[in-house]
Amino acid sequence: MLAVVKQRHITIFVALCMLHLTTGAVVLRLVPGPNKGVLQILHNNTWGTLCMHYSFDYREVNVVCRHLGFNTTYNNRRDFGSLPGSVKYWAQFSCNGKENNFNDCPDFNLTRCSSSSTVGIACLRDTEGLITLGNEKIRDIEEGGSLSCTVYSRQSPYAYVWTKNGNIQFNQASSAITLKRTDSGNLTCTVYSSTGTKLLGSDSVIVTVLYHPLSLTTRTMYAQRGDTVNLSRSDISLPPPHVYRWRQAGLDSEFTESTKPPVIPNIQLNHKGDYILDVTNRFPSGRSDSGMDLIKLYVSYAPSVKCEREVSVVVGQSLNLECDVDAYPDPHTLTWLHITAYQKEVSSMTEKFRIPEASHADGGLYKCEARNNITNRRGDVEVGVGACTIRVTVHASSEASTLPVVAAKSNDKGGNSMTTVVYVVGSILVLIALCLVIVLVVLTLKRLPMKGNGTEVKKTETCPDPPEEEHAYEGLSIR
C-alpha cells in the first residue's frame, strides 16, 4: 500500500510541477513524506515552508491531503519540526475545506514570515495510526522528566509498550513515562489497540537522562598494596561533577578541592579507612546540585607469616610450635604441615601446634601456611598465600645437658613464655657464677707470688750447703 501511495505521490508531484511551470499552479509536498511531514510549497522555483498560524486549520489540512492525492479522512495538523535553511511564508488560502486542490481556494497569496513553528500535516486513513515521540530523535532529559507518546488514530483507547534497547521496560495504559537515571538508551513506544491485537505504530528516540549526585551514598572500595585508587565513580552524576571536595575521615585535615576526581596512587596500609567525598555538577539549564559519598576503603594483602626457624626438644617432653600471621582479610585457612617424605596435614585453623611427648619421629620440617581471599579493585577475588617453615630437632635424654633451655618445652600450661623466663634467669645465674669464679682466681694468683719470695729468703738463711760427696752425679756442684 505504501509503495502505491508513494508512486501516486511522485506522479502527482511531477504533474503539479509541470502545471506550475506552465500555469503558475500551487505545488506542495510533505517532508519526509509520503503522507506525513513538514509542508513545503514551491514559490519562485524555491521550496519554502509555511509559518504556523490560527487560520490554517482543519479545512486547509483536508485540502492539502486531497491536493497531494490522498483520499484520507483522518487528517491532522501537527508539528514535525522545521527544515533549516528553508524560506518561510505566511500563506492565506481562505479555503472552505471542500476544494480538491489549492488552486480552487480564493484569495491565495504568500508573504514572508519568521515564526519558529512550521506547518506539518499527517494524511491518515481511518484504520491508520501515527505514533510520535517528538521531532528530536536525540535528546537530553533531566531525571524526573517525562517522555510522552502521542497517538493520532481513530482507534482508542490504546495499550502502550515501552522498550529500552529492545528490552521491555513498561507495559501500561498511560502514554507517558517518568525517567530515572538508569533509563538512558534507545527508547521505543509501540502502540496497540485496546485489545492488543492491532499494531497502530511505533516511534523511537535516543535519550540521555541527566542527573545530579545522590544526596548521601555509602559504599565500600577494595584495593591492594601498590594500586592506584580513584575515590569517585563514573556514574556519580551526569554531566560529571565540576567540583570535587574530599578528605580522609578521622584525621585533622581540611577538604582538598579539585576539578578532577581524587586519586590516591601507590596504596599502602595507612590509606585504609573512611573517606568523605563531596561533589557538585551543573545541568545545561544552569541548575546545579551536590551530593556526598561516604567511602570505606579496605586495603587487602596476602598473609605474612613469621616463626622461629629452628627449635629443639628432648625425647619425652612436649613442644609448642607457633606462627604469627598478619593478613587482611583474616585467613580462611591456616594449616600446619609435617614435611617428611611427604606432606602430612597435622593441624588447621590455629597459630599454635603442640607436640606432646616428642619422639624422634616428630623431628623434621613443619610448615605453617595461611590463605585468605583478596578482593581487587575490579571486584575479582584472588587467593593470597603465605607460609613459614620450622626445623624441629629431637634429642635423646643423654644429650639434655647440651640443649638450650628454649628447646625443651614444658608440659605445664606456661608454654613458651615460662620456658623463656627459665632460660633468661638461668643464663643470668650462670653469668654471675662465672664472674665470681674469675674474681677468686685473680685474687688467688695475686697472693701466691708474695708467699713464694718469703720462703726463698728463709731457706737461704737457714739451710747450709750440702757436702759434695752426697750428690748423685760426679763433676756437678751447686754454686
Side-chain angles (χ1 to χ4, degrees):
M1 180 63 188
L2 183 60
V4 174
V5 171
K6 187 178 297 185
Q7 183 176 2
R8 288 185 58 193
H9 175 63
I10 294 173
T11 304
I12 293 172
F13 169 74
V14 172
L16 290 175
C17 187
M18 294 300 295
L19 180 62
H20 168 77
L21 293 176
T22 57
T23 66
V26 178
V27 179
L28 304 173
R29 69 179 182 184
L30 297 177
V31 179
N35 65 327
K36 59 181 178 292
V38 176
L39 177 61
Q40 282 194 309
I41 186 168
L42 186 63
H43 181 67
N44 292 332
N45 296 322
T46 302
W47 286 105
T49 57
L50 301 182
C51 293
M52 186 78 74
H53 60 92
Y54 69 93
S55 63
F56 197 99
D57 57 17
Y58 70 95
R59 291 168 294 189
E60 281 75 20
V61 171
N62 288 330
V63 174
V64 167
C65 291
R66 285 196 290 270
H67 187 116
L68 295 175
F70 299 109
N71 187 22
T72 53
T73 57
Y74 189 60
N75 305 317
N76 295 271
R77 187 189 71 177
R78 65 170 303 271
D79 185 9
F80 282 100
S82 60
L83 298 177
S86 295
V87 179
K88 289 192 172 183
Y89 298 107
W90 184 287
Q92 184 176 357
F93 295 100
S94 300
C95 301
N96 60 25
K98 297 180 181 180
E99 294 86 354
N100 289 322
N101 60 69
F102 273 104
N103 296 306
D104 298 333
C105 294
D107 301 327
F108 167 71
N109 64 78
L110 296 176
T111 57
R112 297 290 290 269
C113 65
S114 59
S115 173
S116 59
S117 299
T118 303
V119 173
I121 293 177
C123 303
L124 306 174
R125 297 190 301 272
D126 288 346
T127 57
E128 285 185 299
L130 173 62
I131 315 300
T132 177
L133 291 171
N135 301 314
E136 296 181 39
K137 297 307 177 185
I138 300 177
R139 70 179 81 168
D140 297 337
I141 302 177
E142 296 181 10
E143 183 179 23
S146 62
L147 183 63
S148 297
C149 186
T150 304
V151 180
Y152 296 91
S153 174
R154 294 192 185 278
Q155 308 271 337
S156 63
Y158 316 113
Y160 299 85
V161 177
W162 291 86
T163 61
K164 184 180 78 172
N165 302 327
N167 299 314
I168 295 178
Q169 303 293 308
F170 306 99
N171 191 342
Q172 59 188 37
S174 174
S175 62
I177 58 173
T178 301
L179 297 176
K180 305 183 297 296
R181 62 181 56 200
T182 56
D183 288 334
S184 294
N186 189 346
L187 300 181
T188 300
C189 174
T190 303
V191 182
Y192 296 87
S193 62
S194 58
T195 60
T197 58
K198 181 175 178 57
L199 173 64
L200 300 181
S202 64
D203 194 20
S204 298
V205 62
I206 297 175
V207 172
T208 300
V209 180
L210 308 180
Y211 55 91
H212 289 306
L214 296 175
S215 58
L216 183 62
T217 301
T218 302
R219 54 191 174 93
T220 301
M221 298 183 68
Y222 296 91
Q224 298 181 28
R225 282 185 288 193
D227 284 349
T228 297
V229 171
N230 183 350
L231 292 180
S232 186
R233 47 194 170 89
S234 60
D235 62 346
I236 196 167
S237 69
L238 190 67
H242 64 280
V243 176
Y244 297 85
R245 298 174 65 250
W246 67 285
R247 72 178 180 89
Q248 187 170 2
L251 300 180
D252 187 15
S253 61
E254 299 293 331
F255 276 95
T256 299
E257 185 170 315
S258 173
T259 58
K260 296 181 179 180
V263 174
I264 305 176
N266 192 23
I267 285 289
Q268 298 300 322
L269 297 183
N270 62 301
H271 290 127
K272 68 179 180 180
D274 297 328
Y275 290 82
I276 302 172
L277 174 63
D278 183 89
V279 298
T280 304
N281 79 330
R282 181 182 296 115
F283 286 164
S285 61
R287 186 164 63 93
S288 62
D289 202 354
S290 61
M292 182 177 293
D293 277 15
L294 302 181
I295 306 164
K296 184 174 289 292
L297 176 62
Y298 292 102
V299 180
S300 58
Y301 50 94
S304 173
V305 185
K306 298 179 181 179
C307 59
E308 296 181 68
R309 294 303 178 184
E310 294 190 16
V311 295
S312 300
V313 66
V314 176
V315 171
Q317 292 186 336
S318 65
L319 176 66
N320 289 327
L321 301 180
E322 295 185 15
C323 64
D324 183 18
V325 181
D326 179 26
Y328 188 84
D330 292 335
H332 59 80
T333 302
L334 197 154
T335 306
W336 283 94
L337 298 172
H338 187 192
I339 307 173
T340 51
Y342 59 93
Q343 293 193 24
K344 177 184 178 182
E345 182 175 332
V346 293
S347 180
S348 62
M349 292 312 298
T350 176
E351 295 182 0
K352 292 184 179 181
F353 174 65
R354 184 176 179 84
I355 302 177
E357 299 182 1
S359 65
H360 288 289
D362 294 319
L365 296 178
Y366 288 78
K367 181 167 74 171
C368 174
E369 181 181 275
R371 295 172 178 261
N372 70 341
N373 291 330
I374 302 174
T375 305
N376 59 30
R377 56 186 174 183
R378 298 184 303 275
D380 301 327
V381 178
E382 303 170 352
V383 177
V385 181
C388 72
T389 303
I390 305 174
R391 180 179 295 278
V392 176
T393 303
V394 181
H395 296 273
S397 58
S398 60
E399 304 173 9
S401 60
T402 64
L403 297 179
V405 180
V406 70
K409 304 297 180 180
S410 171
N411 286 321
D412 297 335
K413 293 183 179 180
N416 290 339
S417 59
M418 189 64 187
T419 302
T420 302
V421 172
V422 172
Y423 176 76
V424 173
V425 173
S427 299
I428 293 174
L429 292 176
V430 171
L431 288 174
I432 293 173
L434 287 174
C435 290
L436 291 175
V437 171
I438 291 172
V439 171
L440 292 175
V441 170
V442 170
L443 292 176
T444 302
L445 291 176
K446 284 185 177 181
R447 296 178 61 186
L448 287 177
M450 295 175 60
K451 293 180 179 181
N453 290 337
T455 303
E456 288 178 2
V457 172
K458 192 173 181 179
K459 283 183 178 181
T460 303
E461 294 177 351
T462 59
C463 295
D465 293 337
E468 294 183 1
E469 62 269 19
E470 292 181 5
H471 286 280
Y473 299 97
E474 292 185 1
L476 298 177
S477 62
I478 299 176
R479 294 181 181 180

